[in-house]
């Protein structure tokens, strides 16, 4: 899956890149040129930029939720790997593994796990499959790697998004200041013409 | 952290924008690191408490949590395991502290650059 992202240090400031459906924020070299380019007056431009900011915030919340899910999933998979590894270690010794497990909140029961070559893995959607210990380990490792890779992509997406938010906030401030500046110039111009006449 | 620009005529170049973006990213990373360091410190404290309890107990078999179950493990094995876990946790904590120092240093550099150009027009402090 190709992400159309480019590193910001080599990218030309005029191009607007987009990344996985997130539109890039256009960097503004000069406020006046920007306003004439988009053909909007100051207030409409500000409204447009504010709306963009809201959209970015929505996407950010969605990505943060996905990140939280993944960050919870990874320790889960690592715990499963731990259990399978322990079972495998016990295999050679011939003794059974005795474990206390939770039956319900506050109630625990003792289990005696004999030497077995296979484990059952919960795959989700009410499906549980039996695997040999080695297959289980490799499947869990693969899931762990996928989860970690997805998390990395997600974190990069979030960074890109936050950069666009920053650019948009700075642009809003600059457009607003330019407008204030223009009004001041116009005011001094009218007051000085008033004085002259 | 606010990044407002005041009513001045200073132009914002692409390089300035990139510096501001980088500062924002570093600030986010700093907060994440502080949270992670807190979690790592708690984990190390728990392991310390656990190994202290182990020394006090006179039971031969300890219920050690693996995954969601508590397996019956002989005391020496548990001691070894906890020592290993403490090693891993303290190495992790060291790495996090190092990264935090580097992030703080980079942020100080960027603050100098940005305040140098924008002076009062920009605010880079925590709110």
């Amino acid at each position: 899956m190709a992400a159309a992202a480019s590193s910001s240090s080599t990218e030309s400031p005029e191009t607007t890149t987009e990344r996985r459906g997130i539109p890039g924020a256009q960097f503004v070299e000069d406020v006046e040129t920007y306003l004439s380019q988009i053909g909007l007056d100051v207030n409409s431009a500000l409204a447009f930029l504010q709306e963009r900011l809201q959209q970015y915030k929505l996407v950010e919340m969605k990505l943060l939720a996905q990140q939280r899910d993944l960050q919870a999933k990874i320790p889960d998979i690592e715990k499963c790997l731990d259990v399978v590894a322990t079972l495998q270690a016990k295999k050679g010794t011939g003794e059974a593994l005795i474990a206390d497990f939770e039956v319900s909140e506050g109630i625990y029961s003792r289990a005696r796990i004999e030497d077995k070559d296979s484990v059952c893995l919960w795959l989700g959607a009410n499906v549980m499959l039996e695997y040999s210990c080695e297959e289980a380990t490799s499947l869990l490792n693969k899931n762990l790697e996928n989860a970690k890779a997805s998390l990395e992509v997600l974190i990069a997406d979030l960074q890109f998004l936050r950069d666009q938010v920053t650019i948009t906030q700075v642009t809003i401030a600059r457009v607003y200041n330019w407008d204030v500046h223009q009004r001041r110039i116009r005011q001094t111009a009218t007051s000085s013409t008033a004085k002259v006449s | 952290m606010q990044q407002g620009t005041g009513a001045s005529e200073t132009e914002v170049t692409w390089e300035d924008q990139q510096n501001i973006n980088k500062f924002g990213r570093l600030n986010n990373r700093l907060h994440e690191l502080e949270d992670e360091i807190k979690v790592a410190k708690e984990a190390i404290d728990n392991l310390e408490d656990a190994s202290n309890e182990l020394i006090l107990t006179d039971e031969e078999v300890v219920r050690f949590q693996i995954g969601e179950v508590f397996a019956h493990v002989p005391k020496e094995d548990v001691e070894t395991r906890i020592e290993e876990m403490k090693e891993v946790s303290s190495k992790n904590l060291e790495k996090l502290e190092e990264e935090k120092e580097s992030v703080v240093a980079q942020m100080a550099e960027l603050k100098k650059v940005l305040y140098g150009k924008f002076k009062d027009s920009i605010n880079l402090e925590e709110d």
Side-chain angles (χ1 to χ4, degrees):
Chain A
M1 167 178 52
S6 41
S7 79
S8 32
S9 47
T10 53
E11 174 193 331
S12 118
E14 299 305 334
T15 52
T16 354
T17 51
E18 98 156 299
R19 186 187 163 108
R20 304 221 301 159
I22 308 172
Q26 184 184 4
F27 176 69
V28 169
E29 285 283 1
D30 176 51
V31 179
E32 203 158 340
T33 343
Y34 173 68
L35 284 175
S36 56
Q37 188 187 39
I38 57 172
L40 292 172
D41 69 316
V42 175
N43 288 328
S44 325
L46 281 175
F48 166 71
L49 288 168
Q50 289 283 15
E51 202 189 304
R52 257 306 170 76
L53 206 61
Q54 295 300 348
Q55 290 172 340
Y56 284 147
K57 291 287 178 193
L58 277 175
V59 177
E60 186 177 357
M61 283 196 322
K62 199 177 73 170
L63 288 180
L64 280 174
Q66 284 179 352
Q67 185 189 20
R68 269 193 300 265
D69 284 340
L70 273 176
Q71 278 174 333
K73 210 164 104 170
I74 288 178
D76 253 354
I77 304 180
E78 286 174 347
K79 272 194 238 179
C80 292
L81 271 170
D82 230 352
V83 175
V84 177
T86 312
L87 283 175
Q88 266 190 311
K90 274 281 184 178
K91 241 195 328 195
T93 65
E95 33 174 88
L97 179 69
I98 305 187
D100 294 342
F101 64 98
E102 190 175 19
V103 178
S104 170
E105 179 140 6
I107 303 177
Y108 291 78
S109 176
R110 194 150 291 173
R112 186 191 175 81
I113 306 172
E114 302 284 346
D115 225 342
K116 267 288 177 304
D117 290 322
S118 62
V119 290
C120 296
L121 290 179
W122 174 262
L123 300 178
N126 283 335
V127 174
M128 180 180 257
L129 273 187
E130 186 172 354
Y131 290 92
S132 75
C133 283
E134 291 84 23
E135 283 175 344
T137 315
S138 66
L139 178 71
L140 286 170
N141 274 324
K142 194 167 68 94
N143 286 350
L144 186 65
E145 270 172 43
N146 288 344
K148 285 188 177 165
S150 303
L151 189 63
E152 267 179 41
V153 170
L154 202 67
I155 288 178
D157 280 349
L158 269 171
Q159 283 188 330
F160 174 77
L161 186 66
R162 288 205 182 106
D163 280 353
Q164 306 316 305
V165 166
T166 311
I167 295 177
T168 312
Q169 285 172 330
V170 170
T171 309
I172 289 178
R174 286 169 66 200
V175 168
Y176 182 75
N177 292 337
W178 181 85
D179 184 45
V180 166
H181 188 64
Q182 292 299 99
R183 283 177 207 263
R184 248 187 236 149
I185 293 181
R186 266 179 266 143
Q187 231 179 6
T188 36
T190 44
S191 60
S192 56
T193 44
K195 270 189 238 151
V196 167
S197 57
Chain B
M1 175 198 60
Q2 297 157 306
Q3 294 152 342
T5 45
S8 74
E9 293 204 43
T10 334
E11 278 312 312
V12 178
T13 64
W14 177 234
E15 197 186 324
D16 296 327
Q17 182 66 69
Q18 284 182 289
N19 281 342
I20 297 176
N21 287 350
K22 186 157 172 220
F23 187 84
R25 284 197 201 195
L26 287 172
N27 194 36
N28 281 326
R29 183 67 195 136
L30 183 67
H31 287 299
E32 282 175 17
L33 278 172
E34 286 177 341
D35 286 338
E36 285 177 29
I37 286 177
K38 204 172 76 158
V39 166
K41 284 199 174 141
E42 272 176 31
I44 291 184
D45 282 343
N46 286 339
L47 287 171
E48 266 304 318
D49 290 344
S51 67
N52 290 341
E53 282 293 325
L54 258 191
I55 300 172
L56 295 173
T57 186
D58 44 348
E59 277 185 49
E60 195 31 58
V61 171
V62 181
R63 287 155 196 67
F64 184 79
Q65 182 178 22
I66 302 180
E68 294 298 325
V69 304
F70 294 89
H72 290 210
V73 184
K75 199 163 126 176
E76 304 88 44
D77 289 358
V78 178
E79 274 172 6
T80 328
R81 282 237 207 182
I82 292 199
E83 282 308 314
E84 280 170 26
M85 284 164 79
K86 275 204 277 192
E87 263 296 311
V88 167
S89 292
S90 35
K91 281 221 181 73
N92 188 32
L93 183 66
E94 228 178 85
K95 204 175 59 139
L96 288 174
E97 300 268 12
E98 264 177 42
E99 193 184 342
K100 179 176 161 180
E101 267 178 45
S102 140
V103 165
V104 167
Q106 285 180 58
M107 279 172 74
E109 262 305 307
L110 280 174
K111 267 194 193 182
K112 259 196 292 190
V113 171
L114 288 171
Y115 278 142
K117 172 143 188 207
F118 293 109
K119 300 184 202 24
D120 279 337
S121 308
I122 193 167
N123 175 24
L124 298 169
E125 308 305 319
E126 294 288 322
D127 29 36

